[in-house]
Amino acid sequence: MKKQNNRQEYNTTYQLKLPVEISTIIEISDPVYTFCEVMDCIDLRKYLAVKESKTGRKRYNSEILLKVILFAFMEKGYVSLREIEKLCKTDIRFMWLLQDNDPPSHMTIDNFMNETLLGNIEDIFAEINGCIFSKEKVDTEHIYIDGTKIPANAYKYGWVWKKSCVKNRNKTFEKITLLLQEINETVACRCVKFGIRTEYAIEYLEQIAEQYARLFGLHPEKIVRGRGHHKSVEQRNYDKLVEYTNKLKKYAEHIKICGEERNSYSKTDTDATFMRMKKDYMGNDQLLPGYNIQIGICDEYISVFDVKQYASDMDCFQPLMEKFNKTYGKYPKYPVADAGYGSFNNYLYCEEHGMEKYMKFTMFKKETEDSKYRDNPYRAVNFPINENGNPVCPNGKEFTYLYSRPVKGNKYGRTEELYQCEDCTNCPHKEKCCKCEGNRIVRLNEELTGFHKEVLSNLNSVHGALLRMNRSIQAEGAFGTIKWNKSYQRIRRRGLKSVILEIAMISCGFNLHKYHLKSLARQLAA
């Protein structure tokens, strides 16, 4: 007979075994060690100091929360709050960062971001860069600039156009004028007349509506409305006046939100502007709500970033350089950018702040590759200058200076000089010469032409060719890593401040990951 075993087993295959030391389980080459090396160099308390409340639960440790968030962005590129919460419960590296604290909930992380991190993230980004740049001896004299437009988290069809609002507002002014003329005929017997204007202030119309209601004893809350009810003439006029006033309020609000620099905005994210994207997933070249993200790269690290609400890269250059100067206390010696940044005002800005001109202008490619265009003798910029300082056309006729005028559509005060030919009659080059076609007038800007020659000389040199090559590798490569390797192709948050927070955390994660890769490469080489 087989003897029965009465022993009871108290262990399972999933039971933990001693020693339970997390740091011995994590590989020595894991990014978490590089991350802690950088974060230990920074005094985070000055950015995360929060006044504790005397009542309620104790706040979660801010330094640990920040480390958990930044490490998640370092590993994933962009990561949602719920995913960070899940990582804190399942990933052994996040458990090690938590230091025996309970995993934070997604609401705890969200409140920390909105209340504490929103106003300090740019300073934290500068501190992280200061630590990395000092260790890596990063060259901040050369900066490679690029921009991209990323779709916003907004409804694609909820647009508001500023020009349409202005146009409809003017039409409403005309309707109000006709209505006031009709009202004046009604109140003439009472020796009252309301003033008629070309434009009407909302407060003025509200006063007219109030006086009109008082004259005829109208009570807005008792006015008859709906089908089957008859309105008097006075009631109809009062309702129209109130309707037009409300329309003007709506148009004024739309124009105020757009501001001076924007022509549109999205209803679901009022800070987002409609602009054309390179990749239109709707397939019909339609404007989409988005933000213009600008970055400056120094030795493969993001040294400065900016978020703008307008599509033009030309207007983004100067704010980006001012931000760089505020962070590092100086302007870069060699700002390198593509043709979207080369303009007269940006060249003047570089001249004033001691920066070399390495930004392409619009016709740079044609100037360097198309000799027929570059050496065209009929272009005004190629006209020789005589002893009087005036250009001379291919027919030997002198152009005399007329006057200077501001360039149309230029808001920075750029001017151009107009010259007139002394005689174009019977000229064999009349149809080709600057396309004057009988008016004998050409436009020149000698200062801009001089800037273009300097830019061509800089970029066509050996140093300029190396800088152009590095820009395409580093600046465009950084956006390639963020948008494709890390799958960040749409902004998740709404509002300009929240988008800046999002881009700052992505930039911090990008630089930390880049530093880890370089440190790992040095260790392997040794």
Side-chain angles (χ1 to χ4, degrees), residues 358-374:
Y358 281 85
M359 299 96 67
K360 296 179 184 177
F361 49 88
T362 307
M363 302 300 289
F364 174 81
K365 186 175 182 180
K366 207 165 185 179
E367 284 275 4
T368 53
E369 297 181 3
D370 190 350
S371 58
K372 186 176 179 181
Y373 171 81
R374 181 181 63 245

Side-chain angles (χ1 to χ4, degrees), residues 162-323:
K162 182 179 177 181
K163 290 182 180 179
S164 178
C165 292
V166 173
K167 182 179 178 181
N168 291 332
R169 184 182 63 176
N170 293 334
K171 288 182 179 179
T172 306
F173 286 152
E174 295 175 1
K175 292 179 182 178
I176 292 172
T177 298
L178 295 176
L179 178 63
L180 289 181
Q181 290 174 354
E182 184 179 345
I183 289 175
N184 283 335
E185 293 177 1
T186 307
V187 300
C189 59
R190 299 173 180 260
C191 300
V192 176
K193 184 178 181 181
F194 297 113
I196 294 176
R197 305 172 182 177
T198 55
E199 296 184 356
Y200 299 91
I202 295 172
E203 295 79 7
Y204 177 65
L205 295 178
E206 289 176 344
Q207 291 177 4
I208 291 177
E210 184 180 350
Q211 293 176 14
Y212 186 74
R214 195 184 306 119
L215 281 173
F216 292 96
L218 299 175
H219 299 282
E221 65 279 359
K222 296 181 180 180
I223 289 180
V224 177
R225 303 178 189 280
R227 178 181 289 184
H229 298 284
H230 176 72
K231 285 186 180 181
S232 64
V233 176
E234 292 79 10
Q235 288 178 341
R236 286 199 296 271
N237 290 340
Y238 178 82
D239 281 350
K240 282 186 179 180
L241 190 58
V242 172
E243 179 187 351
Y244 294 152
T245 304
N246 291 333
K247 282 187 176 181
L248 289 181
K249 287 181 180 179
K250 182 179 68 173
Y251 296 142
E253 182 66 19
H254 290 333
I255 294 169
K256 180 182 177 182
I257 292 174
C258 282
E260 297 181 358
E261 296 181 339
R262 294 197 294 164
N263 291 322
S264 64
Y265 74 89
S266 173
K267 290 180 181 178
T268 49
D269 183 1
T270 56
D271 288 338
T273 308
F274 279 81
M275 54 185 75
R276 279 189 170 83
M277 309 288 173
K278 284 185 178 179
K279 183 181 179 183
D280 179 15
Y281 50 82
M282 300 182 69
N284 54 6
D285 194 33
Q286 185 173 337
L287 298 173
L288 298 174
Y291 292 90
N292 192 350
I293 312 300
Q294 300 287 319
I295 60 170
I297 306 293
C298 294
D299 284 352
E300 302 181 37
Y301 293 101
I302 298 177
S303 60
V304 64
F305 70 91
D306 205 0
V307 180
K308 292 299 179 185
Q309 298 171 279
Y310 37 85
S312 173
D313 287 337
M314 287 186 183
D315 299 331
C316 299
F317 176 76
Q318 296 182 24
L320 190 69
M321 292 297 97
E322 288 297 327
K323 202 169 183 181

Side-chain angles (χ1 to χ4, degrees), residues 65 67-73 76 78-91 94 98 103-106 109-110 113 493 505:
L65 271 179
K67 289 180 179 180
V68 165
I69 293 168
L70 291 183
F71 183 64
F73 275 84
K76 304 288 185 179
Y78 177 84
V79 58
S80 67
L81 302 181
R82 293 181 186 274
E83 191 173 353
I84 296 175
E85 179 185 3
K86 183 179 178 181
L87 289 170
C88 291
K89 295 177 180 178
T90 59
D91 195 313
F94 286 84
L98 288 175
S105 67
H106 67 276
I109 300 170
D110 184 58
M113 284 185 175
R493 293 171 175 262
M505 290 190 294

Side-chain angles (χ1 to χ4, degrees), residues 5 8 49-50 137 225 250 303 307 325 352 377 435 484 523:
N5 187 5
Q8 189 174 357
V50 179
K137 296 181 173 55
R225 303 178 189 280
K250 182 179 68 173
S303 60
V307 180
N325 179 49
E352 293 172 358
K435 299 180 181 180
W484 297 104
Q523 291 173 12

Side-chain angles (χ1 to χ4, degrees), residues 149-154 277 279 281 288-291 483 489-492:
K149 300 171 186 67
I150 300 182
N153 181 14
M277 309 288 173
K279 183 181 179 183
Y281 50 82
L288 298 174
Y291 292 90
K483 295 174 73 173
Q489 298 185 27
R490 190 182 184 189
I491 290 168
R492 271 67 166 189

